[in-house]
Amino acid sequence: DTEVTQTPKHLVMGMTNKKSLKCEQHMGHRAMYWYKQKAKKPPELMFVYSYEKLSINESVPSRFSPECPNSSLLNLHLHALQPEDSALYLCASSEPRRGDYGYTFGSGTRLTVV
Amino acid sequence: SQQGEEDPQALSIQEGENATMNCSYKTSINNLQWYRQNSGRGLVHLILIRSNEREKHSGRLRVTLDTSKKSSSLLITASRAADTASYFCATGPSGYSTLTFGKGTMLLVSP
């Protein structure tokens, strides 16, 4: 299995809702990432988990809360989001011991905050 | 923070022509990677070139790296309509595997 699976593909939520984005990979990769991408912009790193520990938080607001329950799963919990948080949220994985490896990305979750 | 800067921002060509995209970066790197993104989808890893390599080929793709100028180029030969996508360079900094993406080039290949 060489895929990263993200669910849901689309999500519309109100500013008072709580929702979660899910990401799963079965490639044995020990690093997983959340990126945020606005239209016509490059992906921007949000969080990095390495060996199931949060290793990088790029000053992301606390309304975004990541969780790594095990080496195959990565969640992003959303609460009290703002309309400007509407974006494509991408999950990726890689093998951190292989710095010369590319990342494998999921297809993303298109999030709209209303 | 963004590291790579692609040029041009947009490129429109006919099928069969070659497409060249350039990327410049600012700090020392371990490797440089190129990704393709079809509209609204995830990114697909195309090719990786290490800092001690100067040129690499993969199918219709040719990547060059000039570390003295901190620049790279991606050449797609004999382009096809299916190559229409955004292309991003991404740098892997020395000693760490986190990627930083450039602004991207939007390539349109017309039949």
Side-chain angles (χ1 to χ4, degrees):
Chain A
D1 189 348
T2 57
E3 285 188 347
V4 173
T5 303
Q6 288 188 244
T7 56
K9 293 194 185 307
H10 301 274
L11 178 62
V12 179
M13 61 184 290
M15 289 188 283
T16 59
N17 291 160
K18 286 185 181 181
K19 296 287 184 182
S20 297
L21 308 185
K22 297 187 183 301
C23 175
E24 188 170 5
Q25 58 92 11
H26 295 288
M27 294 174 284
H29 289 172
R30 300 309 300 273
M32 296 185 76
Y33 312 82
W34 281 114
Y35 281 84
K36 174 183 177 179
Q37 186 179 26
K38 302 283 275 185
K40 300 187 187 303
K41 297 289 187 182
E44 293 184 348
L45 184 66
M46 300 175 72
F47 301 105
V48 180
Y49 273 83
S50 182
Y51 297 92
E52 294 133 67
K53 293 191 187 318
L54 183 64
S55 59
I56 293 180
N57 175 342
E58 290 284 356
S59 302
V60 178
S62 60
R63 57 186 184 267
F64 295 92
S65 175
E67 178 196 19
C68 188
N70 59 54
S71 60
S72 300
L73 294 174
L74 186 66
N75 298 322
L76 186 62
H77 302 299
L78 313 173
H79 174 54
L81 294 193
Q82 303 297 309
E84 59 264 29
D85 296 322
S86 298
L88 181 67
Y89 287 84
L90 294 162
C91 175
S93 69
S94 73
E95 179 45 60
R97 292 168 296 182
R98 292 289 306 273
D100 58 353
Y101 245 60
Y103 287 14
T104 303
F105 279 84
S107 296
T109 294
R110 175 75 60 188
L111 174 67
T112 303
V113 181
V114 297
Chain B
S1 61
Q2 292 163 23
Q3 160 101 289
E5 294 278 341
E6 280 91 337
D7 148 52
Q9 290 188 343
L11 180 60
S12 183
I13 60 174
Q14 300 289 119
E15 266 192 327
E17 295 180 340
N18 296 340
T20 300
M21 290 160 262
N22 303 299
C23 169
S24 60
Y25 57 92
K26 296 175 183 173
T27 63
S28 62
I29 61 171
N30 185 47
N31 62 65
L32 188 141
Q33 306 178 29
W34 287 89
Y35 288 79
R36 182 187 74 229
Q37 184 177 35
N38 292 89
S39 180
R41 305 288 300 277
L43 285 84
V44 175
H45 179 253
L46 295 176
I47 194 166
L48 178 151
I49 186 165
R50 297 184 181 85
S51 58
N52 62 353
E53 297 176 314
R54 292 296 166 258
E55 186 171 315
K56 200 162 183 180
H57 296 254
S58 177
R60 294 185 295 114
L61 305 180
R62 172 178 170 256
V63 170
T64 63
L65 179 65
D66 187 336
T67 52
S68 66
K69 295 181 179 177
K70 292 187 166 57
S71 67
S72 173
S73 68
L74 171 68
L75 168 67
I76 304 174
T77 59
S79 62
R80 307 165 181 167
D83 295 327
T84 294
S86 291
Y87 291 82
F88 294 93
C89 70
T91 51
S94 298
Y96 212 97
S97 60
T98 301
L99 290 183
T100 303
F101 287 86
K103 293 181 179 179
T105 293
M106 291 181 62
L107 173 65
L108 174 64
V109 182
S110 302

